[in-house]
Amino acid sequence: DVVMTQSPLSLPVTLGQPASISCRSSQSLVFSDGNTYLNWFHQRPGQAPRRLIYKVSNRDSGVPDRFSGSGSGTVFTLQISRVEAEDVGVYYCTQGTHWPITFGQGTRLEIK
Amino acid sequence: EVQLLESGGALVQPGGSLRLSCAASGLIFTKHAMSWVRQAPGEGLEWVSGIGYSGSTTYYADSVKGRFTISRDSSSNTLYLQMTSLRADDTAVYYCAKDPGGGAFDIWGQGTVVTVSS
């Protein structure tokens, strides 16, 4: 199985400051069709996950533009340009290039 | 508005069985692949099983293969997960999710709780 490794696992951030989460895969996530199936999800306490970004850098409708995704091959990053209070929770990367679909361990973002 | 509503979660003894349901509304159910994803208490997310839009293709995580069966009913727009030989480590919140492909689950239900304990 493809192992997804996120860092850091805990991310204390001051309001208004930037934040960055890294996600590394144990194999290249480039699929035979040329797409890279790397996605990011956010889960607030007590809620279901919500997709933020799909295929590396495509932001979902309604997701603030302070969120951005980048990367290629095996190294990916989720960046938040200015953290707001509503951004707290756990962020997961997931890959769908290889079966089975696998998730990273999650990164818990908290406000300092 | 697209909605997914899970039900069927319960407290069950080890070795027991349970069937989860996920009622879909606001979408053409037969056009979309679906998956089940679970989250053990205090843990991360784990993909469990997926099914193609027609129901003819199914996929399972190794941890549930041979014990869980995913299915769908287009007449009632419902996704199912039949779980047998349940173990303590199957204890989790089970989410159903619409699966546009590539693990990019774009719609999630609110989850249903399964507890396996004697």
Side-chain angles (χ1 to χ4, degrees):
Chain A
D1 296 1
V2 175
V3 177
M4 306 296 288
T5 303
Q6 292 183 225
S7 63
L9 299 184
S10 179
L11 184 57
V13 185
T14 301
L15 286 174
Q17 292 301 302
S20 180
I21 300 171
S22 171
C23 175
R24 293 174 182 261
S25 58
S26 60
Q27 299 177 37
S28 173
L29 297 186
V30 180
F31 192 55
S32 54
D33 63 2
N35 287 309
T36 299
Y37 294 102
L38 183 284
N39 316 290
W40 290 95
F41 297 86
H42 177 218
Q43 186 177 35
R44 294 191 178 102
Q47 295 186 15
R50 170 199 181 196
R51 193 180 74 181
L52 296 176
I53 288 175
Y54 60 97
K55 287 194 286 185
V56 182
S57 59
N58 296 276
R59 198 168 46 244
D60 267 276
S61 173
V63 174
D65 61 7
R66 63 178 182 275
F67 288 89
S68 63
S70 62
S72 63
T74 63
V75 181
F76 305 92
T77 303
L78 176 70
Q79 292 185 307
I80 309 173
S81 59
R82 297 171 308 279
V83 169
E84 297 190 5
E86 64 181 16
D87 300 336
V88 298
V90 182
Y91 291 82
Y92 296 93
C93 61
T94 186
Q95 68 81 26
T97 297
H98 305 278
W99 284 104
I101 295 165
T102 48
F103 288 86
Q105 322 96 298
T107 295
R108 185 173 302 276
L109 186 149
E110 62 180 36
I111 304 300
K112 274 188 198 175
Chain B
E1 181 190 5
V2 178
Q3 283 194 325
L4 300 175
L5 185 62
E6 302 94 335
S7 61
L11 170 63
V12 60
Q13 292 190 337
S17 299
L18 204 58
R19 188 177 81 159
L20 305 183
S21 300
C22 170
S25 59
L27 76 165
I28 303 175
F29 186 63
T30 52
K31 289 199 169 195
H32 302 286
M34 301 290 293
S35 277
W36 288 96
V37 177
R38 69 183 180 183
Q39 186 169 36
E43 301 294 325
L45 301 169
E46 178 190 15
W47 174 81
V48 171
S49 181
I51 187 167
Y53 67 92
S54 69
S56 60
T57 54
T58 57
Y59 309 87
Y60 299 94
D62 285 346
S63 58
V64 306
K65 200 173 293 182
R67 300 187 300 121
F68 289 12
T69 303
I70 191 171
S71 62
R72 61 193 300 161
D73 180 352
S74 58
S75 66
S76 62
N77 287 356
T78 303
L79 175 73
Y80 298 103
L81 186 67
Q82 178 69 48
M83 304 186 294
T84 63
S85 302
L86 282 162
R87 313 185 302 221
D89 62 0
D90 294 316
T91 295
V93 176
Y94 284 73
Y95 297 100
C96 66
K98 176 173 163 290
D99 186 357
F105 309 114
D106 55 351
I107 306 293
W108 295 66
Q110 87 292 342
T112 188
V113 178
V114 173
T115 303
V116 183
S117 175
S118 53

